[in-house]
Amino acid sequence: MKNVVIIGNGVAGITCARELRKRDSSASITVISRESQYHYSRPALMYLYMGHMQWSDVMPYPADFWAKNRIELVHDTVVSCDTEIQTVTLASGATKTYTHLVLATGSSVNKFGWPGQDAKNVQGLYTLQDIESMETSTAECDRAVIVGGGLIGIEMCEMLLSRGIEVTFLVREAEYWNNVLPKEEAQLVSRHIGKHGVDLRLQTELAEIRTDTNNVAVGVRTKDGEKISCSFVGLTAGVHPNTDLAEQSNIDCGRGVLVNQYLQTNIPNVYAVGDCAEILLPGQTRGVVEQLWYTGKNQGIVAAQNICDANQLYERGIWYNSAKFMELDYHTYGQVPATSTDSTSLFWQCRNTEKCLRIAFDDQRRVTGFNSLGIRLRHKVCEQWIADGASLRLVVQQLSSALFDPEFSTDVVPDIVLSYNARATDPIPVPKRKNSFWSKLIPVK
Amino acid sequence: MPLQQSTSSFYASVFMQKNATGVALFVFGLVMFCAGSVGVFVDSPILFSLLSIGVATVGGLLVATSAFGGLAGVKNDGTMFASSKNRGAVGWLMGIVLTLFYVLLYWFPDTLQYMVQAADPVSYTLRGMPADRWFFYGLLYTIAILVMGLRFIGRNRHNRYQIIRTLSVMAFQTVFAFAIPAVLEALQKPYFDFKNVWPLDYDFFYSWHLNKLTSESTPFFAGLTLGEFMLYWGIAMIVIGIPVLTYFFGKRWYCSWVCGCGGLAETVGDPYRHLSDKSMTSWKIERWMIYSVLVLVTVMTVLVILEYVNPAEYSFAFSRSLRTFYGFAIGAAFSGVIGVGFYPIMGSRVWCRFGCPMAAILGLFQRKASRFRITVNGDQCMSCGNCSTYCEMGIDVRAYAQKGEDFTRASCVGCGICSSVCPRGVLKLENDSVATAPHNKTDR
């Protein structure tokens, strides 16, 4: 009988446990977490702070789900792991043996050796404990500085704004997230951030965090020498895999816990999934670390399948992701390089509202990816087009089948067709605008 | 400091002040209602009306228009911290006051005899007669939907579906539930609310009502008297309106676009939508209760019609006591006292979810014979729970979304808030024909 121990109750670990139970009704399954008794949705943490939801709302499964599915939950810290005798030791002193071990230990906030980075009221945002400490350290705060222009940074800005705290956002790049987003999208998001009242400082890097005699943050100094006073500093310059436990336990690590395409470590009955895993393709020395909700979920499924001897390769498939920048919906499918230009993509931007769409294509004008802001796109349709190598013309022609905006939303298809026609030798008949009556009657920005 | 920031916080403070002034005026209006109810304004109905209904409305409008402050977008900041919205002391106080009002309105109307005079000026203007308690109640109900509807539009002005839907419930309440019945009464025609359909309108087939509708002789339209037209209209709504409209649009065509109870829930009840219970147990209770009420109203109506057709043979004491019970327990206690009085405690759709027989029928059609569904966008859900939290019908939307499964639930009123609050653009209400949007229907 299998006796599986999973360390970490984030989405990767929990999906692995659920998939195991689906495939093997007799296996013993234990999930150990130092963070919380029950699994919760990590991306929902921000909504706790903003008062949109309560703790009970962010748990995807009811409390009795775990007993019903015979998944044992242990709220404790694993202090060591012995892969020889297949045992983990907990902080409480208890031990737990296993036949299969899954490491889903997640990641930690990056700190790049800034002076003052470990001072009070300086923190990142990853765990439930981070939200709790943010609650206390911003209780009296009226000005904060966020360092690092990624997805968590903008979330932290939004959180602080909801409490009426003024925010300065230091971003190293020329535009927000423009190492990922092409210039036009990055500019649109940067403008949106500014519109919400965030003091966005582009091409600005942190030099040090200034502290008082009690080691409490009182401000920052940028590399340009500017001093900004604040009583809270958010560090959001990415995350790195938690490998401490693996490193102590003769499990090979690189940047993350090294696994093959079956998500197996160098110890055959030990797997790693989610943020902490670094997937090595055969013949390569530097692997891929995928730190997304969706990839964590899929890796959890594959590890469970392989524990049940399915011999399943992990393949990421066609890339997709979504996010919300303040009030701006963002969907992306396939490959849209940050270096996209007019000759490698069709870009359309609405003149008077914050909406844009980019359709990237290859040298034979076959569509390779989509980026949309302020427009929701249908996953299955976009994925199919990319998989089929559909032509740009066909995609623009059938674009309305890919729209996922709420009913009565302004129909963007005619304008996109026009912008296609402006540069094409094979123009497409411009369709009649849907909802034009309502769009004229009720303008929505 | 950049200019933008100081201006945005300046506006924020203006809107907060406006909101606070609005609340103060509203409370002042309520105090005036209480003063009036003990006879303080007996000789000055216009002054009473202005100080109570007038001031409370102005206060409400200040609160409602402050919802237009800031940038458009989801506005749930601090909802869970607000005493009024999350079963705090203020919430409980509001629940008790509302419940007390309904208890007095239904069962101790004499205690409100002076209070209803606040509606006299409007009643004389529209109908040429003093206000009774139902006119008074109808006037407050309509103003409440209009004022809080404005607030809802302000909060959801980034979403055209929400704006149009809310304008619809505001218009249906004002025209069909308030203005047309008042005009009919002024013309000494039978009171009739054209959008109130059996079985929600449970006494439609009562003999006194049928007699009233068939008692006229002046033709009105195509050889029919107005009463006959109303009778056939009511029947047509049942046999054609319910199945056909629900097939094309789902039950939302009624519950969140037309209905008066739904209109109140969507506007006045909006601050409390997240208080609905999401557990499996409450879903079980919901199904038992709502279909029991449907059976009850159907049995009662069959007996009533039999008695009307052949009083000699089908006049049962049982039938009369069933009517009395239904009127008391369902018509008054459930839909009024609990349905609205408990808004701040149990959420805005308690009646619609657990009790309304109309919602039960529409829900059956929606599940079994409708193109309406909620589609889930691939595998994008990250289980945050905003959709389930803000579902006023207590549907655990996340349970379907995180499985990537399109679904149709009988209780869904199609308000579209799940789609609106989703931070990953995962949910969409759809009723296109299946051919253009492949989907698979499931139920947990």
Side-chain angles (χ1 to χ4, degrees):
Chain A
M1 197 187 75
K2 290 187 188 75
N3 175 13
V4 184
V5 170
I6 299 168
I7 305 174
N9 72 348
V11 66
I14 289 297
T15 309
C16 183
R18 291 183 54 235
E19 184 68 22
L20 274 169
R21 180 52 77 226
K22 267 189 223 163
R23 293 180 160 255
D24 185 339
S25 59
S26 66
S28 154
I29 304 171
T30 308
V31 181
I32 307 169
S33 166
R34 68 177 171 196
E35 189 184 1
S36 60
Q37 174 73 23
Y38 295 107
H39 165 62
Y40 71 92
S41 166
R42 197 172 297 289
L45 281 177
M46 61 183 292
Y47 300 109
L48 294 178
Y49 183 86
M50 291 165 74
H52 293 209
M53 285 190 281
Q54 292 171 301
W55 174 241
S56 58
D57 300 322
V58 301
M59 287 183 282
Y61 304 98
D64 62 355
F65 174 88
W66 310 103
K68 268 189 206 159
N69 287 281
R70 289 171 291 119
I71 295 171
E72 191 195 344
L73 304 177
V74 178
H75 186 185
D76 201 341
T77 309
V78 177
V79 288
S80 68
C81 165
D82 188 330
T83 54
E84 297 283 315
I85 55 167
Q86 307 193 347
T87 306
V88 295
T89 307
L90 305 180
S92 63
T95 57
K96 187 101 193 143
T97 58
Y98 62 81
T99 61
H100 298 80
L101 180 69
V102 179
L103 298 174
T105 50
S107 44
S108 296
V109 172
N110 284 339
K111 294 177 179 181
F112 293 108
W114 296 297
Q117 65 183 18
D118 295 316
K120 276 181 207 143
N121 296 358
V122 179
Q123 66 164 98
L125 172 57
Y126 191 91
T127 62
L128 179 61
Q129 287 72 32
D130 290 337
I131 281 290
E132 286 161 358
S133 77
M134 195 168 161
E135 189 71 47
T136 43
S137 49
T138 59
E140 306 282 309
C141 175
D142 50 17
R143 190 159 177 82
V145 171
I146 305 295
V147 182
L151 292 173
I152 305 297
I154 199 168
E155 281 182 9
M156 249 179 161
C157 288
E158 196 181 350
M159 289 160 72
L160 293 162
L161 288 180
S162 80
R163 299 277 181 105
I165 297 167
E166 295 183 348
V167 188
T168 299
F169 190 14
L170 309 186
V171 173
R172 192 178 56 181
E173 288 76 26
E175 295 288 346
Y176 170 79
W177 218 33
N178 79 340
N179 49 342
V180 175
L181 294 175
K183 193 173 148 211
E184 287 81 2
E185 284 94 314
Q187 284 174 340
L188 180 57
V189 180
S190 299
R191 277 200 303 275
H192 188 76
I193 295 171
K195 231 175 87 176
H196 278 262
V198 173
D199 172 20
L200 175 63
R201 308 284 181 95
L202 297 168
Q203 288 176 305
T204 307
E205 286 185 70
L206 178 69
E208 65 160 333
I209 294 159
R210 289 152 52 228
T211 54
D212 64 10
T213 47
N214 297 320
N215 198 29
V216 178
V218 292
V220 299
R221 186 171 57 81
T222 69
K223 283 194 177 165
D224 302 334
E226 190 185 352
K227 288 178 178 173
I228 304 166
S229 54
C230 65
S231 56
F232 177 82
V233 179
L235 301 178
T236 63
V239 291
H240 61 273
N242 288 331
T243 54
D244 297 0
L245 188 66
E247 277 170 26
Q248 295 162 12
S249 323
N250 69 350
I251 298 167
D252 289 347
C253 294
R255 279 180 300 154
V257 182
L258 289 171
V259 292
N260 61 20
Q261 282 178 290
Y262 299 92
L263 305 179
Q264 248 170 338
T265 64
N266 57 314
I267 316 280
N269 63 341
V270 179
Y271 296 77
V273 293
D275 276 21
C276 72
E278 178 179 353
I279 303 162
L280 267 186
L281 300 179
Q284 292 189 334
T285 50
R286 192 179 159 87
V288 190
V289 179
E290 294 175 345
Q291 291 162 325
L292 290 176
W293 178 267
Y294 322 106
T295 52
K297 211 167 148 179
N298 291 340
Q299 289 175 18
I301 292 172
V302 170
Q305 287 169 338
N306 288 336
I307 289 170
C308 298
D309 306 317
N311 217 23
Q312 183 70 43
L313 269 173
Y314 169 72
E315 283 167 314
R316 197 176 62 191
I318 290 170
W319 177 262
Y320 61 96
N321 199 8
S322 54
K324 199 176 180 194
F325 304 115
M326 311 269 180
E327 293 304 333
L328 213 48
D329 282 317
Y330 163 63
H331 281 188
T332 183
Y333 301 102
Q335 295 305 315
V336 185
T339 52
S340 292
T341 59
D342 273 0
S343 54
T344 58
S345 65
L346 171 70
F347 180 77
W348 169 84
Q349 184 163 8
C350 185
R351 256 168 295 150
N352 45 8
T353 57
E354 294 173 301
K355 285 176 197 283
C356 75
L357 174 72
R358 185 185 297 275
I359 308 175
F361 48 81
D362 62 13
D363 48 9
Q364 290 165 41
R365 290 175 82 81
R366 287 180 307 211
V367 166
T368 59
F370 298 83
N371 264 358
S372 73
L373 286 167
I375 302 170
R376 295 175 174 182
L377 294 178
R378 220 179 267 272
H379 188 168
K380 275 181 190 148
V381 176
C382 295
E383 198 170 52
Q384 194 64 50
W385 279 334
I386 296 165
D388 293 350
S391 72
L392 178 66
R393 187 169 204 277
L394 178 110
V395 166
V396 174
Q397 229 169 2
Q398 298 181 358
L399 195 60
S400 62
S401 67
L403 293 185
F404 203 68
D405 282 335
E407 293 151 296
F408 300 107
S409 293
T410 305
D411 182 11
V412 292
V413 174
D415 290 343
I416 295 169
V417 170
L418 283 173
S419 75
Y420 172 86
N421 287 350
R423 289 175 42 217
T425 49
D426 51 352
I428 298 167
V430 182
K432 200 170 171 289
R433 193 182 302 278
K434 288 178 198 160
N435 300 324
S436 61
F437 170 76
W438 292 111
S439 304
K440 276 178 204 150
L441 193 68
I442 304 166
V444 169
K445 290 233 167 177
Chain B
M1 191 193 300
L3 183 67
Q4 262 164 336
Q5 195 161 346
S6 54
T7 40
S8 84
S9 56
F10 168 74
Y11 282 121
S13 70
V14 168
F15 281 110
M16 269 164 66
Q17 279 171 22
K18 203 170 147 189
N19 199 40
T21 316
V23 171
L25 288 177
F26 181 75
V27 171
F28 175 83
L30 289 190
V31 172
M32 289 299 110
F33 269 121
C34 297
S37 71
V38 294
V40 174
F41 297 106
V42 153
D43 299 320
S44 37
I46 292 181
L47 180 69
F48 179 33
S49 191
L50 287 175
L51 286 178
S52 58
I53 297 180
V55 172
T57 303
V58 171
L61 283 171
L62 285 179
V63 173
T65 49
S66 71
F68 285 84
L71 297 165
V74 174
K75 293 201 186 296
N76 288 328
D77 287 354
T79 296
M80 297 300 173
F81 309 140
S83 174
S84 58
K85 293 179 188 170
N86 205 18
R87 300 188 191 110
V90 180
W92 277 97
L93 182 70
M94 291 196 297
I96 291 166
V97 170
L98 263 175
T99 306
L100 184 69
F101 171 73
Y102 273 91
V103 168
L104 298 180
L105 180 75
Y106 279 109
W107 298 312
F108 305 97
D110 291 348
T111 56
L112 300 181
Q113 59 170 329
Y114 294 120
M115 197 192 275
V116 301
Q117 289 173 351
D120 272 353
V122 180
S123 184
Y124 276 110
T125 313
L126 278 178
R127 319 187 294 167
M129 58 175 115
D132 54 62
R133 63 171 153 149
W134 297 122
F135 182 84
F136 167 75
Y137 175 55
L139 178 65
L140 294 194
Y141 198 103
T142 306
I143 294 174
I145 287 184
L146 291 176
V147 170
M148 292 298 278
L150 193 64
R151 172 185 173 277
F152 187 89
I153 290 174
R155 289 170 63 87
N156 292 280
R157 64 187 188 279
H158 58 296
N159 185 322
R160 200 178 279 120
Y161 176 75
Q162 299 300 340
I163 299 174
I164 297 173
R165 187 173 69 78
T166 307
L167 289 173
S168 171
V169 291
M170 289 161 76
F172 273 102
Q173 174 63 30
T174 313
V175 177
F176 288 89
F178 184 71
I180 293 180
V183 171
L184 288 171
E185 283 185 303
L187 300 172
Q188 298 188 323
K189 295 287 179 190
Y191 172 95
F192 199 75
D193 177 351
F194 282 89
K195 61 164 184 57
N196 199 3
V197 185
W198 180 91
L200 178 57
D201 184 13
Y202 62 90
D203 51 12
F204 185 80
F205 293 104
Y206 280 16
S207 54
W208 64 263
H209 189 240
L210 295 180
N211 288 335
K212 203 158 112 186
L213 295 184
T214 52
S215 64
E216 290 174 86
S217 53
T218 0
F220 160 75
F221 176 75
L224 298 173
T225 68
L226 184 60
E228 284 165 345
F229 175 75
M230 290 166 174
L231 178 64
Y232 294 136
W233 172 266
I235 293 169
M237 286 297 282
I238 300 165
V239 298
I240 302 169
I242 292 176
V244 175
L245 291 175
T246 309
Y247 172 74
F248 285 106
F249 305 112
K251 78 196 269 189
R252 55 179 169 162
W253 78 265
Y254 194 75
C255 296
S256 63
W257 282 70
V258 171
C259 177
C261 305
L264 195 73
E266 293 295 339
T267 54
V268 178
D270 178 60
Y272 317 111
R273 56 168 53 247
H274 54 282
L275 298 176
S276 57
D277 193 311
K278 310 300 184 317
S279 67
M280 292 292 269
T281 316
S282 66
W283 186 21
K284 204 174 276 178
I285 296 170
E286 165 194 319
R287 282 175 292 175
W288 272 102
M289 286 187 71
I290 196 165
Y291 296 121
S292 302
V293 175
L294 179 60
V295 169
L296 201 63
V297 75
T298 308
V299 170
M300 181 181 84
T301 305
V302 168
L303 291 173
V304 158
I305 294 173
L306 286 176
E307 190 176 330
Y308 181 77
V309 174
N310 189 346
E313 201 156 337
Y314 297 112
S315 196
F316 307 118
F318 166 71
S319 171
R320 276 189 298 282
S321 44
L322 188 58
R323 286 201 294 268
T324 312
F325 170 76
Y326 193 93
F328 170 80
I330 310 296
F334 204 157
S335 76
V337 180
I338 297 172
V340 182
F342 289 15
Y343 268 12
I345 306 303
M346 293 174 70
S348 52
R349 288 276 192 175
V350 175
W351 160 247
C352 313
R353 183 182 175 194
F354 295 97
C356 176
M358 178 76 178
I361 292 186
L362 293 167
L364 287 174
F365 276 103
Q366 174 157 289
R367 273 287 293 142
K368 302 294 175 193
S370 170
R371 307 206 303 198
F372 173 79
R373 66 215 179 261
I374 295 180
T375 43
V376 174
N377 201 9
D379 208 14
Q380 303 261 14
C381 174
M382 42 89 184
S383 301
C384 71
N386 272 296
C387 52
S388 294
T389 303
Y390 287 94
C391 176
E392 54 186 349
M393 295 304 282
I395 299 170
D396 187 4
V397 182
R398 170 173 56 193
Y400 305 94
Q402 66 191 0
K403 281 191 278 186
E405 241 172 42
D406 300 350
F407 69 102
T408 308
R409 271 277 288 270
S411 62
C412 175
V413 293
C415 70
I417 289 292
C418 57
S419 159
S420 177
V421 296
C422 176
R424 293 295 181 271
V426 172
L427 300 159
K428 178 166 163 43
L429 276 53
E430 292 194 77
N431 48 30
D432 296 347
S433 60
V434 176
T436 58
H439 75 290
N440 55 323
K441 282 192 181 186
T442 51
D443 208 344
R444 257 200 306 188

